[in-house]
Amino acid sequence: MTPARLPAILRAIYGAFGAAALVILAFMAVFFTRWIASLEPVADFLAAYPGAAPMPEGQGIGIPAWLSWTHFLNGFFLLLIIRTGIRIKGEKTPSGLWSSRRVKKRRMSLTVWFHLALDALWMLNGLVFVVLLFASGHWVRIVPTSWDVFPNALSALIQYVSLDWPTHSGWTGYNGLQQLFYFLIVFVASPLAILTGARLSAFWPRDDRRINRVFSIDLAKAIHFPTMLFFVGFVVVHVGLVLTTGVLRNLNAMYAGRDEVSWVGFWIFAVSVLVLAGGWIAARDRVIAPIAALFGDLRMRPVR
């Protein structure tokens, strides 16, 4: 065996041991939480706070069509934003350079331009979502209206970790943990991603020393990438729970606007997955370049 292959084998062994350790820790966490939940004080706590997020009676019920559409577009744009963000992180030599026709000094790689264009569409979709959320009264679904959301969130967490998952209906509302995380995504993580992304972009006023001293580019970098990882982690857990806590009812509520168990929402979801996959595949230079050229001057690097 050559010395070059030995480190690769060792990395594979370490990876297998690491995966096994994570599985063992997960099982230990489940059994420990189940033991905790069986204790009388904790059982009384779970009975007093079953996990549902407190909401004003009769408000926020149902999934309107605008919520389904903005939810899908949010996922679509976010997927491509993450894709371009990862590419920017590892891109050493840009495939093309884009420059503004109005401000010649405003130059960036083609990947960065596409990332910012997606950011703009994502923000527009988010603005529509927030406006309709408050105009329709559905804000009560994701904005806590009582301090009881915190003990209910803890109760839901205990139930999730113990695999005795809380019963809930996304049609009528969310549990406390869901509500807190949706609030964090919409009103904390998203503004952080927008603000730090703007600071890192070529559109930021570089000459304003006072604001740049307070909000340095290093601080923006330290926040922006972890925020993206938070989004990725949230999406993984969110999709996992949708698929394992009554998948047909969940998909019907979000994609078909129905509070029932049938296959309608599933097939709409399947089509949306194909659209997401198509967007991922289409997000290539030969597709992006002609679009970028409509909004500025583009110089592509010759392909060797």
Side-chain angles (χ1 to χ4, degrees):
M1 182 178 299
T2 62
R5 292 195 60 186
L6 186 59
I9 294 175
L10 289 175
R11 285 196 297 270
I13 293 173
Y14 291 151
F17 274 109
L22 288 176
V23 171
I24 293 171
L25 287 174
F27 273 107
M28 291 175 62
V30 170
F31 287 116
F32 178 74
T33 307
R34 280 180 173 271
W35 172 72
I36 289 290
S38 68
L39 299 177
E40 186 175 350
V42 180
D44 292 341
F45 171 79
L46 295 176
Y49 299 99
M55 283 175 48
E57 188 174 352
Q59 295 188 34
I61 298 175
I63 306 292
W66 62 263
L67 183 55
S68 298
W69 276 103
T70 53
H71 177 267
F72 165 73
L73 290 174
N74 177 71
F76 181 79
F77 294 136
L78 191 60
L79 178 71
L80 296 182
I81 287 170
I82 292 171
R83 185 189 195 281
T84 52
I86 294 173
R87 182 176 174 182
I88 290 169
K89 195 77 173 175
E91 191 174 58
K92 296 180 180 179
T93 304
S95 58
L97 289 175
W98 181 92
S99 59
S100 171
R101 295 192 182 102
R102 291 187 300 174
V103 184
K104 295 298 181 182
K105 293 182 179 180
R106 190 171 288 161
R107 301 176 63 196
M108 63 194 75
S109 73
L110 176 62
T111 309
V112 170
W113 178 87
F114 187 46
H115 187 76
L116 293 176
L118 291 167
D119 285 341
L121 294 172
W122 177 67
M123 287 188 290
L124 178 61
N125 180 68
L127 179 62
V128 171
F129 167 77
V130 171
V131 169
L132 292 176
L133 189 73
F134 283 95
S136 65
H138 275 70
W139 62 270
V140 297
R141 295 177 68 92
I142 65 171
V143 178
T145 57
S146 167
W147 291 108
D148 284 349
V149 68
F150 292 103
N152 276 292
L154 177 59
S155 172
L157 178 62
I158 293 172
Q159 294 174 66
Y160 277 128
V161 177
S162 66
L163 299 185
D164 184 18
W165 290 346
T167 56
H168 71 279
S169 171
W171 186 259
T172 57
Y174 303 123
N175 63 51
L177 194 63
Q178 288 174 310
Q179 188 178 72
L180 288 179
F181 267 94
Y182 291 149
F183 179 85
L184 285 173
I185 284 288
V186 175
F187 298 108
V188 179
S190 294
L192 270 179
I194 293 168
L195 183 60
T196 54
R199 177 65 181 90
L200 296 172
S201 76
F203 296 92
W204 186 265
R206 308 278 179 179
D207 298 331
D208 193 327
R209 295 183 178 180
R210 184 172 57 181
I211 192 172
N212 289 335
R213 190 181 305 113
V214 175
F215 189 26
S216 68
I217 195 167
D218 291 333
L219 177 60
K221 288 180 179 179
I223 296 174
H224 194 70
F225 190 69
T227 302
M228 187 195 76
L229 294 180
F230 175 71
F231 274 106
V232 172
F234 172 81
V235 169
V236 170
V237 175
H238 174 64
V239 173
L241 290 177
V242 166
L243 298 178
T244 54
T245 57
V247 57
L248 292 182
R249 182 176 292 276
N250 290 336
L251 294 179
N252 254 333
M254 181 51 69
Y255 286 90
R258 303 180 179 189
D259 184 26
E260 63 182 31
V261 178
S262 71
W263 287 89
V264 178
F266 174 84
W267 292 117
I268 298 174
F269 168 72
V271 172
S272 75
V273 171
L274 292 177
V275 174
L276 292 174
W280 182 280
I281 295 170
R284 301 175 183 274
D285 289 347
R286 63 174 176 268
V287 177
I288 302 167
I291 301 172
L294 296 174
F295 299 93
D297 296 323
L298 181 65
R299 182 166 57 86
M300 295 298 294
R301 191 176 298 275
V303 179
R304 297 180 179 179

